[in-house]
Structure formats: structure tokens, C-alpha cells
Amino acid sequence: QELLQAIAKAADQYPKPPVTFAYGTAGFRTLGERLPSVIFRVGMLAVLRSQRLNGATIGVMVTASHNPEPDNGVKLVDPAGEMLEQSWEAHATALANCETTQLLVSTYEDIAAQLRIDINTPASVVYAYDTRPSGPALIQALEAALGAFGDRVNTVNVGITTTPVLHYVVKATNDKSGTYGKPTIEGYYEKLATALKTLIGNRAPLAPLYVDCANGVGAVALEEFGKYVEDIITLKALNTDTKTKGALNYQCGADFVKTKQQLPPSVAEAGVLAKPDTRGASFDGDADRIVYYYLRDGKTFRLLDGDKIAVLAALFIEDLVKRAKLHDDIKVGVVQTAYANGSSTKFIKERNIPVTCTATGVKHLHHAALKYDVGVYFEANGHGTVLFSSGALETLHKAKPNSPDEVKAIKNLLALSELINQAVGDALSDLLLVEVVLAHRAWGAAEWDAGYEDLPNRLVKVEVPDRTIFLTTDAERKLTSPDGLQKLIDEAVLKVKQGRSFVRPSGTEDCVRVYAEASTTSSTDQLAAIVTDLVK
Ligand code: 16G
Ligand code: ZN
């Protein structure tokens, strides 16, 4: 009772604005100024979640990734460093939408009763935020909620850091064996740097890499981390202005580059990619997405997106597994979404590596990747990682190599499992993965790019009166509603060479998205236009 009073008193300071909130694919996300009450309530839910899991540490990340600067958002991280279990999203939405403190407290009691949680038991919550101006005020709201529980809740403020670092800290905190790494930002950097040193060995230092940090928290991470690896690689940070109002994600960052298929103007003006064999990369606003690029012949922009990274990583790991003579025991697979370029899927399948297609959103890919011994998952937009199953790690640890080459391959595979973030996709960790593969192959961007040629593709955002009437099946590749629409799309697709097109409702915006690809730019545009008309 005393606890409920303390919660009610604190909650009164954070009244709900007249807005309806929903915990979606990326948690809650909207204008930062609307979010204090939501963050407060997410704090309450984080405590409940921790209590439900016997006091395991839960993470709270305050960020809005690639959204414009006035937006913000919040996501919960489960103990293994994964996204919040899906069944709890409804509890988050229910708490966020309670109109009054009284209703909030009774809803909270109902959820606790339904889940048989004793709200007085101990809990543990760690939290972090990005560089957005609304961050500190939102963290205050979170702390007010956590504070209401008094010493029942143990809290750690990780401070300003990237989304993947927070996921790492959660996973490391819950790893009671202590082998995963120290549960701090520095612990993560040390882990990455050690793995990188093992993988690079006594090779010459790598070529400098230009990294567009989207004027976001990736700039902070890159500056700190760069010092750990400066004798191996020079990371030249661009777009590191986290202070100027409006700079975050503005005409820069991974989302800009992938959507516009062009260099950020700031990177183009800096002229840093003109020298042959120079590559660049862009992080998104919270550094969980990365895309690469270079200028072919010093002129033509060439994008190396999430699909290209998946192919690079999967083939490299497959080669190492073969060299380790473990290909009967360790099966490598790739997980993509319908947005993966058809050429990438074809290229992987032709090399006898299985490919799974899932619905959009990290949690779906992550889940599917867990089914492989080594699961490489990437969205075309640059979100992804490589998961090593406990079975695969055990096989590697127990292997009895018969040659120095086998020893080396096993050592490198184990180092890769340390280098690659096992909780969630991380731009920084993925960057190191790419650089390691290129160093081992003695490739530049052009050799990496040479594997396959992307089919021309178009993504169109279509505003419709009601996107909820669009229902999909087969990993979002087919519509089941509205009635008859899929048949018309199929007919349009058949008319163009190498055509493929699908329609799905967005999980983050009020629109549907039309994707089309085909053998030529003009037939792609034509297909996209026809399907767009069908949808309207
Ligand atoms: C979210 C997803 C991202 C996905 C995007 C699709 C996470 C953490 N993020 O941002 O993976 O690509 O949604 O957006 O799952 P859409 O549904 O609007 O097309
Ligand atoms: Zn992001």
C-alpha cells in the first residue's frame, strides 16, 4: 500500500497528454515532449518484468534511432540482451494509455496480479540514452518511476551510449558465469578490441575508414572506441556534431544513404572518398545500423548495404568452417526479409547456403537466426548481426584440429563470436566484422562489391485511408486482404523480366510500402507505379 502511494505520488508529476500510444516494432516512438508519462510507465513495467524474472536485470533505452531530432522513444531490453518478449508489449501499451493516476495504479495492480508478481520483491534495471536534447528530461521521468520503489530496485545509469552497447551491458550483467565480459561500456570496447587483435594478428594496419556518425551518439562511441584500436585501424569520424540543434540525422546517416542511394552531402563535400580504395560507412542515429559505400573509379556512388554485408560475412564464415573441417557439424544460414535484393538471395543460394525469409523487424530475424548453428541476419537497411549458437561454440571449443590451418580457422571463428555483438546488431561491431573480412581476403570495396550486382529497386511510401485492411502472409511477401489485390499484383509482376513486388503496411508509420525490383530501372519504375496505383 505504501508502495502504491509512492508510485501514485510520483506519477502525478507526469500526467498523460491526450495522445494514444502504442508499443510497436521499435518500442514507443513520437515527439520527445509527449513522452515523459510514457517513460515513467515504462520504468514501472521494467521493474515488473525484472520481478517476474526473479530479479534479472532489464534494460531501458531512450532513443529514436534515425527519426528527426525532436522525436524520441523508449525500448525495453530482456535479460539475454534481446528485445522485450512480444506478449509484454500489450502491458506496455496498456500502462502508457491510462488517462489518470488512479487508473494507472489499478491497471498496474491488475497486470501484477495476472502475472502473479509480488510488487515488493527485488528488481534490477539499467538504462541509457542517446544525444537527443529531450533525453535528460525523459531520464528524469524514468528515475522518478524507479525511485518510487525505493531500495527494492537496484539501478545503474549507463549514461549516454548507443543502443547496442546498452543491450551488451544488459546481457553481460545477467551473465553470472562472468565470461561474456564486464558489464560496462569500457568492458564492451575491451572485448571488441581484444577480438579484433586476435583476428588481425600481425597484418599491416588497415586502411583508414571514414565513418559518418549521423551527428548522433555513434560519434561518442567512435571517439571512445577508436583509442582502443588505433594501432590497427584509424577510424575517421565525420558528422560528429551532437550539439548543434537540428543536426542529428539531418542529410546524413545510414537511413539517409540507403533511402536516397547517395552520399550525405557533407561527406561528398569533404571529398574524402575520391582517393582510390577509400571506403566510407554511415551509422544511424543510435548506431545499430550501418551501410558502406565507395566511389567507383573515384566517381560513381556504390552502396554496400545490409545484404552485401550479410553475403560478405556468411561466405567468410562458411569458408572458415570448411577450413576448420567442421562443415558437417556447423551449418551456416542467412536470414533476410522481403526487402533483400533478389540478386543477393540468388547469390547466397547458388553457394548452397540456406536462406530464410522473415517478416520485417529485428525480433523476427533474430528468432529465425537462432535456428542455425551460425545464423547471419541482416535487413537491407543495415540492421543485423551474426549469432553463434551454444552448440556451435561447444563444437569449436571441443574440436580436435589436425593441422595448423585448422587451429587457425577455429581460433578465428571463436574470435568472431566475440567480435560480433550476440545480443543485437551493432554498427560498430559490424564495421569491425567487415574490416576483418576485407583484411583476410585482401579485398578493397570494389572486390567486395564485385560478387553480385543489385537488381534495380524502388521503395514507395503510399498514404492510404486505412492501412489496417492490408494483411500479409508468407513473410509479408503476399497480401491476403484486400480481396483480389494480390492476384492483380501477381499479374503485373509477370509482365516484367525478373520482376518482384510486394505490399505491406508499415510498422512504424501510417502508410503502406510498395517494393518493386526488376531487370532494368525503367521496368522497375513501371512495376512500382502499377502496384502503387493498385494499392491506392
Ligand atoms: C523498425 C525495425 C527495423 C525495420 C523497420 C521497418 C527494429 C529494432 N527496428 O525500425 O528493423 O526495418 O522498423 O519499418 O526492429 P517499417 O515497418 O515502417 O517499414
Ligand atoms: Zn537505429
Side-chain angles (χ1 to χ4, degrees):
Q1 209 55 32
E2 162 232 349
L3 173 58
L4 294 178
Q5 271 164 16
I7 294 172
K9 192 166 165 235
D12 274 338
Q13 305 303 310
Y14 299 96
K16 176 187 171 293
V19 188
T20 307
F21 299 104
Y23 196 101
T25 358
F28 292 107
R29 203 177 278 186
T30 180
L31 280 175
E33 62 198 29
R34 292 182 180 164
L35 279 169
S37 66
V38 174
I39 307 275
F40 184 95
R41 292 151 190 223
V42 165
M44 294 169 65
L45 191 69
V47 173
L48 271 183
R49 180 83 186 138
S50 172
Q51 289 168 331
R52 179 74 182 81
L53 301 174
N54 302 316
T57 299
I58 297 296
V60 180
M61 182 70 205
V62 174
T63 179
S65 186
H66 60 276
N67 283 40
E69 190 170 289
D71 285 0
N72 216 325
V74 62
K75 287 193 266 208
L76 286 176
V77 181
D78 263 355
E82 297 168 15
M83 310 271 166
L84 174 69
E85 185 186 294
Q86 218 164 329
S87 65
W88 275 60
E89 293 179 3
H91 304 317
T93 302
L95 289 178
N97 289 307
C98 292
E99 294 298 337
T100 62
T101 298
Q102 206 187 1
L103 195 57
L104 173 64
V105 171
S106 64
T107 306
Y108 167 75
E109 281 191 279
D110 289 348
I111 296 173
Q114 186 200 327
L115 298 169
R116 298 205 185 85
I117 298 167
D118 174 357
I119 57 172
N120 284 298
T121 53
S124 167
V125 178
V126 302
Y127 53 95
Y129 51 113
D130 70 13
T131 54
R132 284 167 198 272
S134 56
L138 296 177
I139 289 298
Q140 265 182 20
L142 179 68
E143 287 172 341
L146 300 174
F149 290 88
D151 50 20
R152 293 175 188 86
V153 181
N154 184 37
T155 63
V156 175
N157 180 355
V158 182
I160 295 183
T161 193
T162 71
T163 299
V165 170
L166 194 263
H167 281 257
Y168 163 84
V169 171
V170 172
K171 192 177 172 76
T173 306
N174 286 304
D175 173 44
K176 296 299 172 229
S177 77
T179 51
Y180 193 68
K182 276 187 244 148
T184 57
I185 301 177
E186 296 73 29
Y188 186 50
Y189 295 158
E190 278 162 19
K191 181 179 166 111
L192 293 185
T194 305
L196 182 69
K197 286 197 179 102
T198 304
L199 283 155
I200 295 299
N202 48 16
R203 284 180 171 73
L206 311 180
L209 177 72
Y210 291 89
V211 185
D212 154 26
C213 300
N215 295 318
V217 69
V220 179
L222 202 73
E223 201 205 322
E224 293 169 353
F225 177 71
K227 297 184 202 123
Y228 288 74
V229 294
E230 61 194 356
D231 48 341
I232 301 180
I233 183 168
T234 307
L235 299 168
K236 293 192 180 275
L238 304 169
N239 295 326
T240 58
D241 181 0
T242 58
K243 299 279 185 293
T244 302
K245 202 164 179 290
L248 175 64
N249 294 326
Y250 181 69
Q251 300 233 309
C252 59
D255 196 64
F256 174 89
V257 173
K258 173 71 182 162
T259 328
K260 304 265 180 200
Q261 314 242 349
Q262 67 174 64
L263 285 184
S266 49
V267 176
E269 278 155 28
V272 289
L273 298 183
K275 262 209 339 239
D277 285 332
T278 310
R279 45 187 180 270
S282 284
F283 290 178
D284 76 337
D286 63 339
D288 61 357
R289 277 168 63 180
I290 183 170
V291 295
Y292 266 75
Y293 37 77
Y294 71 107
L295 298 177
R296 180 185 270 176
D297 304 323
K299 288 193 287 285
T300 320
F301 171 77
R302 296 283 299 177
L303 177 65
L304 297 155
D305 63 0
D307 300 340
K308 289 272 184 184
I309 297 174
V311 167
L312 185 78
L315 295 189
F316 180 65
I317 292 169
E318 174 88 349
D319 281 352
L320 284 179
V321 169
K322 283 185 181 146
R323 281 178 48 193
K325 303 260 166 27
L326 292 173
H327 45 282
D328 289 334
D329 308 298
I330 298 181
K331 298 287 175 216
V332 180
V334 175
V335 183
Q336 303 185 307
T337 72
Y339 289 114
N341 197 278
S343 293
S344 71
T345 313
K346 183 162 167 273
F347 187 81
I348 301 165
K349 285 187 175 163
E350 281 168 0
R351 273 144 195 85
N352 292 318
I353 297 178
V355 181
T356 312
C357 181
T358 72
T360 304
V362 170
K363 61 191 168 205
H364 302 295
L365 289 112
H366 191 98
H367 193 72
L370 289 171
K371 301 217 165 95
Y372 292 112
D373 299 322
V374 178
V376 178
Y377 76 82
F378 272 90
E379 292 189 299
N381 64 21
H383 218 149
T385 194
V386 181
L387 300 180
F388 288 76
S389 68
S390 50
L393 292 176
E394 205 181 304
T395 303
L396 290 166
H397 282 298
K398 286 196 179 149
K400 303 229 161 23
N402 290 311
S403 71
D405 200 47
E406 285 173 43
V407 173
K408 212 157 55 175
I410 291 167
K411 191 174 108 192
N412 283 337
L413 283 165
L414 284 169
L416 280 175
S417 78
E418 299 280 311
L419 183 76
I420 307 171
N421 191 314
Q422 296 296 292
V424 77
D426 174 13
L428 194 56
S429 158
D430 290 340
L431 175 159
L432 300 175
L433 166 64
V434 167
E435 294 303 318
V436 162
V437 181
L438 295 181
H440 276 247
R441 300 269 203 223
W443 280 358
E447 288 87 358
W448 170 18
D449 192 16
Y452 65 88
E453 186 67 26
D454 272 330
L455 286 171
N457 57 88
R458 286 271 288 165
L459 183 60
V460 187
K461 178 172 157 178
V462 190
E463 314 230 332
V464 292
D466 179 10
R467 81 183 199 279
T468 63
I469 61 167
F470 292 85
L471 302 178
T472 64
T473 180
D474 189 20
E476 303 180 322
R477 289 174 291 192
K478 298 266 177 238
L479 286 173
T480 53
S481 157
D483 228 15
L485 182 53
Q486 186 58 47
K487 190 161 165 281
L488 299 174
I489 297 172
D490 290 342
E491 284 165 13
V493 166
L494 279 177
K495 286 186 190 136
V496 295
K497 211 172 133 199
Q498 288 182 279
R500 192 167 70 88
S501 181
F502 63 91
V503 175
R504 58 176 279 279
S506 161
T508 63
E509 287 181 273
D510 189 13
C511 65
V512 299
R513 301 199 199 282
V514 170
Y515 178 88
E517 67 180 32
S519 62
T520 64
T521 312
S522 64
S523 57
T524 302
D525 287 345
Q526 203 186 333
L527 180 58
I530 293 173
V531 176
T532 300
D533 277 344
L534 290 172
V535 167
K536 272 186 188 162

